[in-house]
Amino acid sequence: MPAELIDGNVIARSIRDEVALDVAKLVARGIQPGLAVVLVGDDPASEVYVRNKGRACDEAGMHSVTINMPATTTQQELLAQVKHLNDDPAIHGILVQMPLPKHLDADVVIRSILPAKDVDGFHPVNVGKNLIGDRDGFVPCTPAGVQEMLARSGTVTKGKECVIVGRSNIVGKPMMALMVQNGANANATVTVCHSATRDLKEHTLRADILIVAAGKPKMVTGDMVRKGAVVIDVGINRIEDPSTKSGFRLVGDVDFASARERASKITPVPGGVGPMTIAMLLKNTVRAAEQSAGR
Ligand code: NAD
């Protein structure tokens, strides 16, 4: 029987509805959660992401500000902007859209955001909190969304073999830190595979939960999936497809058709992990507002 779908659109919708209720409660106490997104330059993909984030905030009743800065912005100007937002009491979450133009140092910019407002979870303080399992920090939105999908699809994680393909700071490493904790929706035995892994299939075939974030279209095929595994495909790749109007389509890092024949549950692309990222960003921002108000 083909795997059951884990529908990211449905799960993200319920999270966004819950966020809207939490926002209403905070607004009743005189606090409107506020998110500032800083966009430097005019990368068209980033513009779309930023617009979607702003719309999602508005829909949830949050305050949202988008700061567009030219591609010629200097490091000092960007740091001054972040400082201004750090000092602004109406802003609880700050996100600097990546990638930044090449002349800017992303690490320095990320470190300049107050950890309490770093709703993207990339500041070293939040990275460290995630690793030690301190839940008052902020976890990067994509891995946090994956954990939420596992929980809301009723996937048991305790004692399971969880294999993660990819070790980026954005997905693979924080995913590892989440799944290994001795706590709810975690407590798995975690293996992290990467570009130097000797025999990837040997590892993926052991996985009860297989999370793939490698940035390689359809890299994980059905023969690499253990029968009955839960497969989470984080990948988003644009491939050419002359049969579509635009000439391209989006595929994941997992070969969906063959993997679906072996898995018990699987996320599609698009409509899987993708929609979760914004939902988790809103959730993080509401918690930042709650924590700033002392709950
Ligand atoms: P990245 O390029 O930074 O990292 C890819 C990782 O995969 C690396 O750690 C590398 O070691 C590993 N890898 C590459 N080839 C491999 C191989 N053959 N065997 C084993 N490991 C291999 O990518 P990223 O930023 O982590 O993103 C991964 C994918 O997830 C991309 O497709 C990206 O578009 C997507 N993504 C989606 C979302 C979302 O919202 N759904 C968010 C972030 C990233």
Side-chain angles (χ1 to χ4, degrees):
M1 213 170 62
E4 185 190 318
L5 282 190
I6 304 178
D7 188 330
N9 283 318
V10 169
I11 298 175
R13 180 72 267 156
S14 28
I15 292 172
R16 286 169 65 168
D17 291 345
E18 290 161 20
V19 164
L21 290 177
D22 289 341
V23 170
K25 282 185 208 150
L26 278 168
V27 168
R29 289 169 53 196
I31 306 153
Q32 187 181 29
L35 175 71
V37 180
V38 181
L39 176 61
V40 186
D42 41 25
D43 176 58
S46 294
E47 278 173 10
V48 174
Y49 294 142
V50 168
R51 206 178 314 130
N52 289 342
K53 285 167 187 169
R55 283 189 189 143
C57 282
D58 295 344
E59 188 210 79
M62 294 164 63
H63 168 55
S64 87
V65 187
T66 302
I67 293 138
N68 289 291
M69 302 182 80
T72 52
T73 300
T74 64
Q75 180 90 1
Q76 255 163 346
E77 285 165 340
L78 180 53
L79 292 176
Q81 180 59 67
V82 171
K83 182 174 183 321
H84 177 71
L85 295 169
N86 280 341
D87 295 340
D88 183 345
I91 296 299
H92 304 96
I94 302 170
L95 183 154
V96 178
Q97 185 66 42
M98 299 292 159
L100 287 173
K102 294 228 167 356
H103 66 281
L104 298 172
D105 186 335
D107 285 342
V108 172
V109 175
I110 288 167
R111 283 165 173 74
S112 74
I113 299 171
L114 267 184
K117 295 191 178 189
D118 167 43
V119 285
D120 239 355
F122 296 143
H123 190 289
V125 166
N126 286 317
V127 175
K129 285 188 172 184
N130 186 24
L131 193 61
I132 62 174
D134 185 338
R135 299 299 299 195
D136 79 353
F138 295 103
V139 175
C141 300
T142 302
V146 170
Q147 189 181 40
E148 199 72 40
M149 292 181 102
L150 291 171
R152 294 189 189 223
S153 62
T155 303
V156 175
T157 53
K158 185 178 177 182
K160 300 292 180 185
E161 291 289 328
C162 175
V163 176
I164 299 166
V165 183
R167 58 173 160 191
S168 72
N169 290 335
I170 299 170
V171 189
K173 283 186 208 157
M175 193 76 244
M176 169 200 72
L178 282 174
M179 298 310 294
V180 83
Q181 301 303 328
N182 183 358
N185 307 314
N187 226 347
T189 303
V190 183
T191 304
V192 182
C193 301
H194 46 76
S195 49
T197 295
R198 215 171 39 215
D199 184 349
L200 182 63
K201 186 173 171 179
E202 183 196 333
H203 295 285
T204 59
L205 274 178
R206 281 191 299 104
D208 300 309
I209 299 165
L210 179 59
I211 302 169
V212 189
K216 300 262 163 70
K218 300 188 183 190
M219 188 192 82
V220 170
T221 45
D223 60 309
M224 298 168 77
V225 175
R226 178 181 173 156
K227 214 160 178 14
V230 175
V231 178
I232 307 286
D233 187 356
V234 183
I236 301 178
N237 308 286
R238 231 169 98 123
I239 60 164
E240 281 185 20
D241 182 352
S243 73
T244 65
K245 212 167 125 193
S246 59
F248 71 87
R249 74 191 158 95
L250 295 180
V251 297
D253 292 348
V254 174
D255 179 45
F256 181 79
S258 62
R260 194 178 185 187
E261 294 305 317
R262 307 262 305 167
S264 59
K265 293 177 199 160
I266 190 167
T267 58
V269 177
V273 177
M276 295 297 294
T277 302
I278 286 187
M280 299 311 289
L281 175 68
L282 300 187
K283 208 169 148 82
N284 275 353
T285 305
V286 168
R287 188 156 55 79
E290 283 169 354
Q291 288 180 187
S292 81
R295 282 190 183 262

Short mmCIF file of all heavy atoms in Angstrom, two decimals, residues 142 165-168 170-171 193-195 200 213-216 219 234-237 253 273-274 277, ligand 1:
data_model
loop_
_atom_site.label_atom_id
_atom_site.label_comp_id
_atom_site.label_asym_id
_atom_site.label_seq_id
_atom_site.Cartn_x
_atom_site.Cartn_y
_atom_site.Cartn_z
N THR A 142 12.73 25.57 9.95
CA THR A 142 12.51 24.37 9.12
C THR A 142 12.64 23.09 9.97
O THR A 142 11.71 22.28 9.97
CB THR A 142 13.45 24.38 7.91
OG1 THR A 142 13.17 25.58 7.16
CG2 THR A 142 13.21 23.18 7.02
N VAL A 165 19.87 13.13 6.48
CA VAL A 165 20.83 13.27 5.37
C VAL A 165 21.04 14.77 5.18
O VAL A 165 20.11 15.49 4.78
CB VAL A 165 20.33 12.60 4.08
CG1 VAL A 165 21.39 12.71 2.99
CG2 VAL A 165 19.97 11.14 4.33
N GLY A 166 22.25 15.25 5.48
CA GLY A 166 22.56 16.68 5.40
C GLY A 166 22.98 17.20 6.75
O GLY A 166 22.40 16.81 7.78
N ARG A 167 24.00 18.05 6.79
CA ARG A 167 24.53 18.57 8.07
C ARG A 167 24.65 20.09 8.04
O ARG A 167 25.57 20.67 8.63
CB ARG A 167 25.90 17.96 8.35
CG ARG A 167 26.89 18.26 7.24
CD ARG A 167 28.29 17.82 7.54
NE ARG A 167 29.06 17.71 6.29
CZ ARG A 167 30.24 17.16 6.21
NH1 ARG A 167 30.83 16.69 7.28
NH2 ARG A 167 30.87 17.08 5.05
N SER A 168 23.75 20.77 7.31
CA SER A 168 23.85 22.23 7.28
C SER A 168 23.45 22.81 8.63
O SER A 168 22.76 22.17 9.43
CB SER A 168 22.94 22.81 6.19
OG SER A 168 21.59 22.69 6.58
N ILE A 170 21.43 25.17 8.90
CA ILE A 170 20.02 25.59 8.79
C ILE A 170 19.08 24.42 9.04
O ILE A 170 18.02 24.58 9.63
CB ILE A 170 19.78 26.19 7.37
CG1 ILE A 170 20.66 27.40 7.17
CG2 ILE A 170 18.32 26.52 7.15
CD1 ILE A 170 20.68 27.92 5.74
N VAL A 171 19.44 23.24 8.56
CA VAL A 171 18.53 22.10 8.69
C VAL A 171 19.17 20.92 9.44
O VAL A 171 18.74 20.56 10.54
CB VAL A 171 18.02 21.61 7.30
CG1 VAL A 171 16.91 20.58 7.52
CG2 VAL A 171 17.52 22.75 6.43
N CYS A 193 24.10 11.87 8.18
CA CYS A 193 24.90 11.55 7.00
C CYS A 193 25.22 12.83 6.24
O CYS A 193 24.46 13.81 6.32
CB CYS A 193 24.13 10.61 6.07
SG CYS A 193 23.67 9.06 6.88
N HIS A 194 26.32 12.83 5.51
CA HIS A 194 26.73 14.03 4.79
C HIS A 194 27.54 13.64 3.56
O HIS A 194 27.64 12.44 3.24
CB HIS A 194 27.51 14.97 5.72
CG HIS A 194 28.54 14.26 6.52
ND1 HIS A 194 29.74 13.85 5.98
CD2 HIS A 194 28.53 13.84 7.81
CE1 HIS A 194 30.44 13.23 6.89
NE2 HIS A 194 29.73 13.20 8.02
N SER A 195 28.12 14.64 2.92
CA SER A 195 28.77 14.37 1.64
C SER A 195 29.97 13.43 1.74
O SER A 195 30.40 12.87 0.74
CB SER A 195 29.20 15.70 0.99
OG SER A 195 29.89 16.47 1.93
N LEU A 200 25.83 5.68 1.94
CA LEU A 200 24.61 6.34 2.40
C LEU A 200 23.46 5.34 2.56
O LEU A 200 22.73 5.36 3.56
CB LEU A 200 24.23 7.44 1.39
CG LEU A 200 23.00 8.27 1.75
CD1 LEU A 200 23.22 9.04 3.04
CD2 LEU A 200 22.67 9.25 0.62
N ALA A 213 17.72 16.36 3.75
CA ALA A 213 17.95 17.78 3.45
C ALA A 213 19.33 17.89 2.81
O ALA A 213 20.29 18.34 3.43
CB ALA A 213 17.88 18.61 4.73
N ALA A 214 19.42 17.44 1.56
CA ALA A 214 20.73 17.37 0.90
C ALA A 214 20.83 18.34 -0.27
O ALA A 214 21.93 18.60 -0.77
CB ALA A 214 20.99 15.95 0.40
N GLY A 215 19.70 18.89 -0.73
CA GLY A 215 19.73 19.82 -1.86
C GLY A 215 20.06 19.15 -3.17
O GLY A 215 20.61 19.79 -4.08
N LYS A 216 19.74 17.85 -3.29
CA LYS A 216 20.01 17.08 -4.52
C LYS A 216 18.71 16.44 -5.00
O LYS A 216 18.19 15.54 -4.31
CB LYS A 216 21.04 15.95 -4.24
CG LYS A 216 22.38 16.42 -3.74
CD LYS A 216 23.38 16.50 -4.89
CE LYS A 216 24.60 17.32 -4.57
NZ LYS A 216 25.49 16.72 -3.59
N MET A 219 17.47 12.41 -4.85
CA MET A 219 18.67 11.64 -4.53
C MET A 219 18.35 10.34 -3.79
O MET A 219 18.99 9.32 -4.00
CB MET A 219 19.59 12.52 -3.69
CG MET A 219 20.94 11.93 -3.45
SD MET A 219 21.80 12.87 -2.18
CE MET A 219 21.12 12.16 -0.72
N VAL A 234 12.89 17.42 3.00
CA VAL A 234 13.04 18.87 3.21
C VAL A 234 13.41 19.57 1.90
O VAL A 234 13.20 20.77 1.73
CB VAL A 234 14.10 19.15 4.30
CG1 VAL A 234 14.23 20.64 4.58
CG2 VAL A 234 13.76 18.41 5.59
N GLY A 235 13.93 18.83 0.96
CA GLY A 235 14.47 19.42 -0.26
C GLY A 235 13.46 20.20 -1.10
O GLY A 235 12.28 19.84 -1.17
N ILE A 236 13.92 21.28 -1.66
CA ILE A 236 13.13 22.03 -2.64
C ILE A 236 14.06 22.32 -3.81
O ILE A 236 15.00 23.12 -3.67
CB ILE A 236 12.59 23.36 -2.06
CG1 ILE A 236 11.72 23.11 -0.83
CG2 ILE A 236 11.79 24.13 -3.12
CD1 ILE A 236 11.19 24.38 -0.17
N ASN A 237 13.85 21.66 -4.92
CA ASN A 237 14.72 21.84 -6.09
C ASN A 237 13.86 22.16 -7.30
O ASN A 237 12.82 21.55 -7.51
CB ASN A 237 15.49 20.54 -6.38
CG ASN A 237 16.20 19.99 -5.15
OD1 ASN A 237 17.21 20.54 -4.74
ND2 ASN A 237 15.68 18.94 -4.55
N ASP A 253 14.26 16.13 -2.40
CA ASP A 253 15.51 15.37 -2.43
C ASP A 253 15.21 13.87 -2.46
O ASP A 253 16.13 13.06 -2.53
CB ASP A 253 16.36 15.69 -1.19
CG ASP A 253 16.88 17.13 -1.20
OD1 ASP A 253 16.78 17.79 -2.25
OD2 ASP A 253 17.37 17.58 -0.16
N VAL A 273 7.15 20.03 3.83
CA VAL A 273 7.86 20.83 4.84
C VAL A 273 7.76 22.33 4.52
O VAL A 273 7.70 23.17 5.43
CB VAL A 273 9.33 20.38 4.93
CG1 VAL A 273 10.11 21.24 5.92
CG2 VAL A 273 9.43 18.91 5.33
N GLY A 274 7.74 22.67 3.24
CA GLY A 274 7.75 24.08 2.81
C GLY A 274 6.81 24.99 3.61
O GLY A 274 7.28 25.96 4.23
N THR A 277 7.59 26.22 7.42
CA THR A 277 8.64 27.15 7.83
C THR A 277 8.05 28.49 8.29
O THR A 277 8.40 29.00 9.36
CB THR A 277 9.66 27.31 6.68
OG1 THR A 277 10.18 26.00 6.40
CG2 THR A 277 10.81 28.20 7.05
P1 NAD B 1 23.09 22.70 2.09
O1 NAD B 1 23.50 22.67 0.65
O2 NAD B 1 23.59 23.76 2.98
O3 NAD B 1 23.46 21.30 2.74
C1 NAD B 1 23.30 20.10 2.07
C2 NAD B 1 23.86 18.99 2.93
O4 NAD B 1 23.67 17.75 2.26
C3 NAD B 1 25.35 19.14 3.20
O5 NAD B 1 25.57 19.06 4.59
C4 NAD B 1 26.00 17.94 2.48
O6 NAD B 1 27.04 17.38 3.24
C5 NAD B 1 24.83 16.98 2.35
N1 NAD B 1 24.94 16.17 1.14
C6 NAD B 1 25.07 16.61 -0.12
N2 NAD B 1 25.20 15.56 -0.96
C7 NAD B 1 25.14 14.45 -0.21
C8 NAD B 1 25.22 13.06 -0.49
N3 NAD B 1 25.37 12.63 -1.73
N4 NAD B 1 25.13 12.18 0.53
C9 NAD B 1 24.95 12.61 1.79
N5 NAD B 1 24.86 13.93 2.12
C10 NAD B 1 24.96 14.83 1.14
O7 NAD B 1 21.50 22.66 2.06
P2 NAD B 1 20.38 23.08 3.15
O8 NAD B 1 20.37 24.55 3.30
O9 NAD B 1 20.47 22.21 4.35
O10 NAD B 1 19.09 22.65 2.31
C11 NAD B 1 18.86 21.32 1.93
C12 NAD B 1 17.64 21.25 1.05
O11 NAD B 1 16.51 21.68 1.81
C13 NAD B 1 17.68 22.15 -0.18
O12 NAD B 1 16.98 21.49 -1.22
C14 NAD B 1 16.90 23.38 0.25
O13 NAD B 1 16.29 24.04 -0.83
C15 NAD B 1 15.88 22.77 1.16
N6 NAD B 1 15.37 23.67 2.19
C16 NAD B 1 14.03 23.73 2.33
C17 NAD B 1 13.50 24.52 3.31
C18 NAD B 1 12.01 24.55 3.49
O14 NAD B 1 11.46 25.51 3.93
N7 NAD B 1 11.33 23.47 3.17
C19 NAD B 1 14.30 25.30 4.14
C20 NAD B 1 15.69 25.20 4.00
C21 NAD B 1 16.21 24.37 3.01
#
